[in-house]
């Protein structure tokens, strides 16, 4: 009996336990995934900490930490529902979330404060993504007025670098394909930062960084901020352009891309190109381009023997002339990978690199130096025509890492390195008034530029009400132009061209600029009152230390040989037969106006600002920044002249912004701020850097003062539907002592100097429209039209110090264009895999340099540009692209009255490419 009872008990236990064990086993083996993202405030777009995020019907969940970030692991694969709760906010349930097996999904969720949303709401995952895109839209949720170009928009254009991408932003123009100007102001009024940290400029006479250094496929977005808040550097005069590199994907990704193309005026055309010395394709030229020891160690202020002159010629790289050849194709390659796990540890990472090579031309190139003619005309003193051929290499890489420490801290390390090299040759001929005859001129010029930055940053959520963030950045930049050669031949009385016997006949320049920049910033934000009201008080401190060294020695190579030798190529004139140990035909002299300078810049600042809501519709952001800068520039010339300049200012920079939320989709912004602009280091050095015959001699001014700018902004924004925007803005700026560049023609060359004007004003209107065209009918559903137009006017009141009488005592600012127009249309298939974009851009006439009586200003004429881009799938994860740039091939023209000072055509560029993503 007992045995029978035992058997029945065992059977019952088996029936009960085995299925349970089976279910448990199935649960243990069931596929799972992960959900990550951010919880954000609908109104401000800021992250919300301490929000509870839970999978409905389970005990699986997490709490959001610093910057609103959350991560839920071991979520059962398939369709699930997620619920979010936070005191002070209305709860939200998100349905229809599809979690991939052994994968992850990124889902950001927006919460509205309880005073706006009382009842719980439920939305689908697809709907929530659209809501979050609106909430995260920088233009809509930012504290100040911003415009942004995202990685998606860049991918739909033929833009190859950050400069080309940024010119699509409202009110932005690009000069020389590199330098940004915002709202018609010259590049001195624009600052650039990389991942929020200031980038030092590799240019000797410009503060702004040439953005062509940053390849497009390294970018997450390019954001232009046009109104100042106290937590930004004070020399925010026109705008700050922030380049953000790629962010960490929710799951591991690998991307490859390649392209191949050519320029219509380059491929197969015979052009002058510069011979290579080795290393140019990587942006690191060989040492044989360095200044010879015999030159660098010589005491030119003492006695230099003929034997030393011969050694200088022997050690000098004996390459002076272009090598004509047929132009070739362009190509590029890029690869990137990113994810959130390294060796089993939760660490976000992005690694990306790219390389590109291109050949460019300045065809039909004209250059002239003018003087006053009859009937208010400008007649050429020097007039040259020819062409320039250039081969360029560019590469860049990023390595970014991020790690969450618990729930309340996040540490990141971002490193970026970019490098470019341009190797160009120019050959032209023409007539020179000073010589009274024809001349032939050649230039070989190799320039390499590089920027390297490393930024360590941290964010720490210290309870519900306190948040501290900090960043420390080391940046290094350099620009080398080693071994530039300029050669001028003049026709003699027999009609023979011989090397010019003056210091302008044959020159070598060895330019080297290096700058290091150390920046540290700490910010602390205190939330006051209800967390959901987002009322905050923010304080911070900032310090920047900059050291720059720039050397630009120039040496003239002279030949005392007869015309039978001096009529030959320069490599013969200065070759072994003329520089032998017993020869006495070569002389080398420093050009007295060339030289070098060093600069030290120590800037410190602190600020206090409040962000306060007046009800649920109006926010006031008010505060001030105290910023002190101490700049010292020491300069010297090869002729022995030395100088020192110092600029030391402490300024209080107030800011008041008022943002009114008229409706859920409409904003009205008002701002009144004060900012400043300081002279460039080179501009403070009263040293003349003189170019070759017909060029410009630029002289600094140690009496320059910093400029103060009062800014007024008013902007209306409407976001009628996702992906659509309408904005109308007006702005005005008043400048006290703006810095202007003035040029004067003397003896066939131009003399340029810098001077503080008395005052200036700048005002304008910005219009932006982006609209899906489905309202025209079903056929137009895939089409989106967009345009931004900026109309500007400025006036500067000039002083006449230094005995110069300017052409217009009251005129518009140098670099200011009366209008900028960007327009385009995009086709996107319903699946989103195929898209085509046409883009149009034109910039109005702008002053390149102010003229001095009797000559008019030098202006850059408008150019109409049209670009096309097409993206389409090929098979699987492989897609293709076709791009066309500068389809109209409009001429670059710089005019001085009726005289074309400079002009050329750049040609049309076509390319095809493939990309693959896993």
């Amino acid at each position: 009996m007992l045995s029978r009872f035992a058997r029945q008990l065992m059977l019952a236990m088996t029936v009960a336990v085995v299925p349970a064990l089976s279910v448990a086993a199935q649960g243990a083996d069931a596929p799972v995934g992960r959900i990550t993202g951010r919880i954000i405030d609908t109104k401000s777009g800021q992250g919300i900490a301490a929000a509870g995020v839970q999978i409905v019907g389970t005990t699986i969940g997490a709490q959001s930490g610093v910057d609103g970030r959350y991560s839920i692991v071991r979520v059962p694969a398939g369709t699930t529902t997620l619920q979010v709760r936070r005191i002070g906010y209305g709860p939200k349930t998100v349905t229809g979330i599809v979690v991939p097996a052994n994968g992850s999904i990124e889902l950001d969720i927006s919460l509205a404060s309880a005073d706006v949303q009382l009842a719980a709401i439920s939305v689908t995952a697809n709907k929530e993504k659209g809501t979050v895109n609106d909430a995260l839209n920088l233009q809509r949720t930012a504290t100040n007025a911003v415009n942004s170009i995202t990685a998606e928009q860049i991918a739909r254009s033929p833009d190859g670098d950050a400069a080309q991408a940024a010119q699509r932003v409202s009110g932005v123009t690009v000069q020389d394909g590199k330098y940004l100007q915002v709202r018609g102001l010259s590049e001195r009024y624009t600052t650039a930062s990389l991942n929020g940290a200031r980038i030092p400029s590799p240019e000797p006479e410009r503060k702004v960084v040439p953005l062509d250094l940053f390849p497009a496929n390294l970018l997450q977005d390019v954001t232009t901020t046009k109104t100042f808040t106290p937590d930004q550097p004070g020399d925010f005069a026109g705008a700050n352009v922030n380049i953000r590199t790629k962010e960490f994907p929710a799951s591991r990704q690998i991307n490859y891309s390649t392209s191949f193309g050519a320029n219509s005026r380059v491929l197969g055309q015979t052009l002058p190109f510069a011979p290579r010395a080795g290393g140019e394709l990587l942006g690191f030229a060989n040492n044989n381009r360095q200044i010879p020891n015999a030159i660098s160690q010589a005491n030119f202020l003492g006695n230099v023997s003929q034997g030393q002159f011969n050694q200088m010629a022997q050690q000098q790289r004996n390459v002076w002339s272009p090598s004509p050849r047929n132009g070739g194709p362009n190509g590029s390659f890029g690869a990137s990978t990113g994810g959130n796990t390294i060796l089993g540890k939760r660490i976000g990472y992005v690694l990306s690199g790219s390389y590109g090579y291109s050949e460019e031309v300045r065809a039909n190139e004209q250059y002239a130096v003018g003087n006053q003619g009859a009937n208010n005309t400008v007649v050429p003193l020097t007039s040259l025509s020819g062409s320039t051929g250039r081969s360029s290499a560019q590469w860049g890489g990023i390595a970014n890492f991020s790690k969450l420490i618990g729930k309340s801290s996040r540490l990141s390390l971002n490193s970026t390195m970019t490098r470019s090299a341009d190797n160009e040759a120019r050959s032209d001929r023409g007539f020179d008034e000073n010589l009274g005859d024809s001349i032939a001129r050649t230039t070989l010029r190799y320039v390499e530029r590089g920027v390297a930055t490393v930024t360590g940053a941290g964010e720490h959520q210290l309870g519900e009400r306190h948040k501290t963030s900090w960043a420390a950045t080391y940046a290094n930049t350099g620009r080398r132009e080693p071994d530039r050669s300029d050669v001028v031949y003049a026709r003699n009385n027999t009609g023979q061209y011989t090397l010019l016997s003056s210091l302008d006949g044959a020159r070598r320049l060895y330019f080297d600029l290096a700058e290091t920049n150390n920046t540290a910033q700490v910010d602390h934000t205190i939330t006051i009152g209800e967390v959901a009201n987002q009322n905050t008080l923010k304080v911070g401190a900032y310090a920047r230390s900059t050291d720059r060294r720039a050397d630009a020695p120039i040496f003239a190579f002279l030949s005392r040989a007869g015309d039978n030798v001096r009529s030959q190529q320069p490599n013969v004139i200065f070759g072994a037969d003329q520089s032998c140990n017993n020869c006495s035909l070569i002389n080398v002299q420093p050009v007295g106006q060339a030289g070098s300078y060093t600069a030290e810049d120590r800037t410190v600042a602190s600020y206090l600002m409040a962000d306060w809501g007046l009800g649920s519709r109006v926010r006031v952001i008010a505060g001030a920044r105290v910023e002190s800068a101490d700049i010292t520039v020491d300069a010297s010339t090869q002729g022995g002249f030395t100088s020192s300049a110092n600029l030391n200012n402490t300024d209080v920079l107030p800011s008041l912004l008022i943002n009114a939320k008229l409706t859920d989709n409409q904003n009205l912004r008002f701002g009144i701020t004060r900012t400043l602009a300081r002279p460039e280091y080179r501009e403070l050095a009263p040293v003349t850097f003189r170019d070759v015959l017909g060029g410009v001699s630029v002289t600094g001014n140690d009496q320059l003062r910093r400029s103060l700018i009062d800014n007024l902004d008013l902007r209306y924004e409407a976001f009628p539907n996702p992906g659509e925007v309408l904005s109308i803005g007006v702005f005005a700026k008043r400048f006290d002592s703006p810095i202007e560049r003035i040029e004067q023609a003397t003896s066939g060359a131009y003399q340029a100097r810098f001077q503080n004007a008395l005052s200036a004003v700048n005002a304008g209107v910005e219009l932006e429209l982006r609209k899906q065209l489905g309202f025209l009918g079903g056929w137009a559903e895939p089409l989106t039209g967009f345009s931004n137009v900026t109309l500007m006017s400025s006036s500067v009141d000039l002083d006449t110090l230094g005995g110069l009488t300017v052409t217009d005592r009251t005129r518009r600012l140098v670099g200011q264009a009366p209008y900028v127009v960007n327009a385009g249309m995009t086709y996107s298939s319903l699946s989103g895999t195929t898209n085509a974009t046409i883009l149009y851009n034109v910039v109005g006439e702008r002053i390149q340099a102010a003229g001095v009586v009797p000559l008019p200003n030098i202006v850059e004429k408008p150019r109409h540009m049209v670009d096309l881009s097409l993206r389409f799938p090929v098979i699987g994860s492989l897609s293709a692209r076709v791009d066309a740039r500068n389809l109209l091939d409009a001429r670059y023209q710089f005019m001085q009255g009726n005289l074309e000072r400079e002009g050329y055509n750049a040609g049309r560029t076509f390319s095809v490419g493939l990309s693959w993503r896993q």
Side-chain angles (χ1 to χ4, degrees):
M1 176 114 182
L2 182 60
S3 176
R4 182 180 176 187
F5 175 77
R7 288 196 301 269
Q8 290 177 344
L9 179 61
M10 292 178 63
L11 179 61
M13 292 176 61
T14 301
V15 171
V17 174
V18 170
L21 292 175
S22 177
V23 170
Q26 290 177 7
D29 296 335
V32 295
R34 189 164 62 99
I35 304 176
T36 65
R38 295 176 64 212
I39 310 301
I40 61 170
D41 185 280
T42 301
K43 292 188 298 183
S44 68
Q46 299 298 311
I48 301 173
V53 188
Q54 186 173 8
I55 304 299
V56 175
T58 74
T59 58
I60 302 172
Q63 188 178 68
S64 62
V66 62
D67 202 27
R69 299 179 184 275
Y70 74 93
S71 178
I72 308 175
V73 298
R74 299 197 61 78
V75 180
T79 303
T80 191
T81 298
L82 193 150
Q83 189 176 71
V84 184
R85 292 181 179 274
R86 173 69 165 85
I87 296 175
Y89 289 88
K92 176 177 282 189
T93 301
V94 183
T95 64
I97 305 170
V98 180
V99 180
N102 301 316
S104 51
I105 181 174
E106 190 167 5
L107 180 64
D108 297 330
I109 302 170
S110 63
L111 295 182
S113 62
D115 60 345
V116 175
Q117 174 202 317
L118 296 177
I121 63 172
S122 177
V123 298
T124 65
N126 287 335
K127 171 73 174 176
E128 181 62 14
K129 287 180 180 179
T131 303
V132 172
N133 285 338
D134 282 345
L136 290 177
N137 184 293
L138 287 176
Q139 185 169 338
R140 176 179 149 183
T141 61
T143 298
N144 39 22
V146 303
N147 293 96
S148 184
I149 296 293
T150 65
E152 179 183 4
Q153 291 170 292
I154 295 172
R156 293 186 178 187
S157 74
D159 299 332
D161 55 55
Q164 295 172 1
Q167 71 178 347
R168 314 296 180 188
V169 174
S170 176
V172 172
T173 60
V174 176
Q175 189 177 46
D176 298 335
K178 306 174 185 178
Y179 309 110
L180 257 62
Q181 299 179 339
V182 181
R183 289 178 167 176
L185 300 174
S186 67
E187 67 271 9
R188 76 165 63 250
Y189 299 110
T190 302
T191 59
S193 55
L194 180 68
N195 297 317
R198 176 70 66 89
I199 316 172
S201 173
E203 300 299 328
E205 297 178 16
R206 300 176 189 261
K207 177 177 68 175
V208 69
V209 175
L211 296 188
D212 65 325
L213 279 171
F214 300 93
N217 58 359
L218 301 184
L219 308 180
Q220 180 69 23
D221 56 53
V222 179
T223 300
T224 302
T225 305
K226 299 177 181 178
T227 54
F228 168 73
T229 51
D231 55 351
Q232 301 178 81
D235 54 352
F236 183 112
N240 175 263
V241 179
N242 184 44
I243 302 167
R244 247 184 356 133
T245 53
K246 288 181 175 178
E247 293 189 336
F248 319 107
S251 57
R252 183 170 177 266
Q253 292 183 0
I254 300 176
N255 300 279
Y256 297 101
S257 63
T258 185
S259 68
F260 178 84
N263 185 297
S264 62
R265 290 183 180 267
V266 174
L267 188 64
Q269 304 296 314
T270 301
L271 299 170
F273 282 94
R276 293 173 183 157
E280 289 87 351
L281 294 180
L282 294 177
F284 293 98
N286 282 356
N287 289 334
N288 58 3
R289 285 187 178 270
Q290 300 300 318
I291 183 171
N293 289 332
I295 294 179
S296 63
Q297 296 174 6
N299 179 16
F300 286 96
L301 298 179
N303 294 321
V304 180
S305 67
Q306 182 61 54
Q308 288 178 284
F309 289 142
N310 293 337
Q311 273 191 327
M312 295 175 191
Q314 292 168 10
Q315 293 179 11
Q316 174 62 53
R317 177 173 172 260
N318 194 25
V319 177
W320 299 82
S321 305
S323 298
R325 64 170 174 84
N326 290 341
N330 307 328
S332 67
F333 174 81
S336 66
T337 183
N340 49 49
T341 303
I342 298 179
L343 300 177
K345 303 294 184 181
R346 290 293 181 189
I347 301 175
Y349 68 93
V350 171
L351 305 173
S352 183
S354 68
Y355 178 85
Y357 174 83
S358 63
E359 294 193 353
E360 304 165 1
V361 67
R362 290 188 172 190
N364 307 318
E365 191 170 22
Q366 296 288 132
Y367 180 83
V369 176
N371 206 350
Q372 184 183 26
N375 301 320
N376 294 320
T377 60
V378 180
V379 296
L381 291 173
T382 298
S383 181
L384 303 167
S385 61
S387 61
T388 296
R390 175 190 298 162
S391 59
S392 299
Q394 180 189 57
W395 60 266
I398 61 174
N400 296 345
F401 303 90
S402 179
K403 172 66 175 175
L404 279 172
I405 308 297
K407 294 290 185 182
S408 59
S409 295
R410 183 166 70 102
L411 302 179
S412 62
L413 180 67
N414 296 335
S415 58
T416 303
M417 185 172 184
T418 67
R419 197 159 187 90
S420 70
D422 299 321
N423 197 22
E424 71 176 36
R426 180 180 64 190
S427 178
D428 50 21
R429 288 173 175 259
F431 184 82
D432 181 74
E433 180 71 23
N434 290 322
L435 298 175
D437 214 327
S438 298
I439 63 172
R441 183 177 70 167
T442 60
T443 296
L444 300 182
R445 183 170 180 254
Y446 170 77
V447 180
E448 59 185 40
R449 300 170 297 162
V451 173
T453 68
V454 179
T455 299
E459 296 176 76
H460 309 278
Q461 189 73 42
L462 309 176
E464 289 188 353
R465 299 185 180 278
H466 294 267
K467 180 180 177 181
T468 297
S469 61
W470 57 268
T473 300
Y474 169 81
N476 177 278
T477 186
R479 182 185 187 275
R480 296 178 64 243
E481 188 176 345
D483 197 31
R484 166 176 170 160
S485 70
D486 293 286
V487 179
V488 180
Y489 282 72
R491 190 168 60 180
N492 61 22
N493 53 13
T494 67
Q496 187 179 40
Y497 281 87
T498 61
L499 181 70
L500 202 65
S501 57
S502 71
L503 295 179
D504 286 323
R507 290 185 176 189
R508 301 303 275 249
L509 163 70
Y510 310 90
F511 182 87
D512 190 9
L513 180 149
E515 179 175 319
T516 58
N517 193 309
N518 295 284
T519 305
Q521 179 163 345
V522 60
D523 307 282
H524 186 75
T525 303
I526 306 171
T527 300
I528 300 174
E530 290 291 335
V531 174
N533 293 335
Q534 296 278 304
N535 294 329
T536 61
L537 190 67
K538 188 175 182 181
V539 296
Y542 171 90
R544 185 178 77 244
S545 173
T546 300
D547 294 279
R548 172 183 283 193
R549 175 190 52 79
D551 297 312
I554 304 175
F555 296 90
F557 282 69
L558 306 170
S559 172
R560 292 188 286 266
D563 286 357
N564 62 321
V565 174
R566 289 175 44 247
S567 62
Q568 299 187 59
Q569 292 295 314
N571 62 313
V572 175
I573 300 173
F574 302 109
D577 292 341
Q578 306 297 316
S579 61
C580 62
N581 292 334
N582 297 322
C583 295
S584 59
L585 299 176
I586 293 178
N587 189 289
V588 179
Q589 292 295 326
V591 177
Q593 290 176 310
S596 61
Y597 71 92
T598 60
E600 292 184 357
D601 183 348
R602 304 294 182 261
T603 301
V604 295
S606 60
Y607 72 89
L608 172 66
M609 62 180 286
D611 184 343
W612 207 268
L614 303 180
S616 61
R617 294 288 184 180
V618 178
R619 299 201 69 83
V620 176
I621 302 93
R625 182 182 185 91
V626 179
E627 185 163 298
S628 177
D630 187 0
I631 302 173
T632 300
V633 178
D634 296 316
S636 61
T637 69
Q638 292 180 212
F641 173 78
T642 61
S643 69
S644 181
N646 180 258
L647 186 71
N648 192 331
N649 296 105
T650 299
D651 297 282
V652 178
L653 306 172
S655 171
L656 172 65
L657 306 180
I658 301 175
N659 298 333
K661 193 176 183 66
L662 304 180
T663 69
D664 288 344
N665 296 316
Q666 297 181 76
N667 295 330
L668 184 65
R669 301 178 183 273
F670 169 81
I672 181 168
T673 62
R674 168 167 283 190
T675 55
L676 57 82
R678 301 184 181 96
E680 277 310 290
Y681 307 137
R682 172 65 187 85
E683 295 171 354
L684 283 169
V687 176
T688 300
F689 283 74
R690 186 167 179 262
D691 210 344
V692 74
L693 180 71
V696 178
S697 296
V698 182
T699 304
N701 181 357
D702 59 357
Q703 299 301 310
L704 288 176
R705 306 181 301 278
R706 61 95 173 87
S707 307
L708 290 175
I709 304 104
D710 294 325
N711 311 279
L712 184 68
D713 289 90
L714 180 66
R715 184 156 93 170
Y716 165 80
E717 302 168 341
F719 304 86
N721 295 297
E724 296 183 350
V725 62
L726 168 66
S727 72
I728 304 172
V730 295
F731 62 88
K733 297 177 182 290
R734 185 190 181 280
F735 298 78
D736 178 35
S737 303
I739 300 168
E740 292 283 284
R741 172 173 167 147
I742 298 172
E743 291 197 5
Q744 178 183 31
T746 58
S747 303
Y750 271 81
Q751 303 286 337
R753 59 169 294 180
F754 301 95
Q755 176 181 322
N756 283 107
L758 294 177
S759 61
V761 293
N762 171 251
V765 179
E766 291 179 320
L767 309 172
E768 183 177 9
L769 174 66
R770 184 178 184 88
K771 176 68 176 175
Q772 294 177 342
L773 303 183
F775 67 92
L776 298 176
W779 62 271
E781 285 286 346
L783 300 178
T784 300
F786 51 90
S787 177
N788 59 70
V789 178
T790 304
L791 307 176
M792 297 160 287
S793 176
S794 67
S795 176
V796 58
D797 188 4
L798 291 164
D799 202 344
T800 55
L801 296 175
L804 295 178
T805 304
V806 295
T807 301
D808 299 321
R809 192 174 185 276
T810 302
R811 54 155 174 81
R812 66 181 186 265
L813 287 161
V814 168
Q816 192 264 317
Y819 61 86
V820 178
V821 178
N822 287 296
M825 183 176 294
T826 293
Y827 163 85
S828 183
S829 64
L830 295 180
S831 64
T833 57
T834 300
N835 60 76
T837 303
I838 181 170
L839 298 164
Y840 169 77
N841 169 265
V842 64
V843 179
E845 180 180 286
R846 50 186 169 179
I847 297 176
Q848 183 199 34
V852 174
V853 171
L855 296 177
N857 301 321
I858 301 169
V859 300
E860 181 179 358
K861 304 297 286 185
R863 293 179 60 249
H864 298 272
M865 294 185 61
V866 174
D867 301 330
L868 287 174
S869 182
L870 173 65
R871 305 286 185 275
F872 55 93
V874 178
I875 184 172
S877 298
L878 184 67
S879 61
R881 58 184 291 175
V882 179
D883 294 325
R885 287 187 59 83
N886 195 29
L887 287 175
L888 302 181
D889 193 16
R891 185 170 176 80
Y892 288 85
Q893 274 192 311
F894 300 85
M895 303 293 296
Q896 189 166 36
N898 59 288
L899 178 69
E900 187 178 64
R901 270 287 315 270
E902 186 178 356
Y904 58 91
N905 293 88
R908 302 171 178 87
T909 302
F910 303 90
S911 67
V912 296
L914 295 173
S915 61
W916 178 83
R917 172 178 293 184
Q918 180 182 9

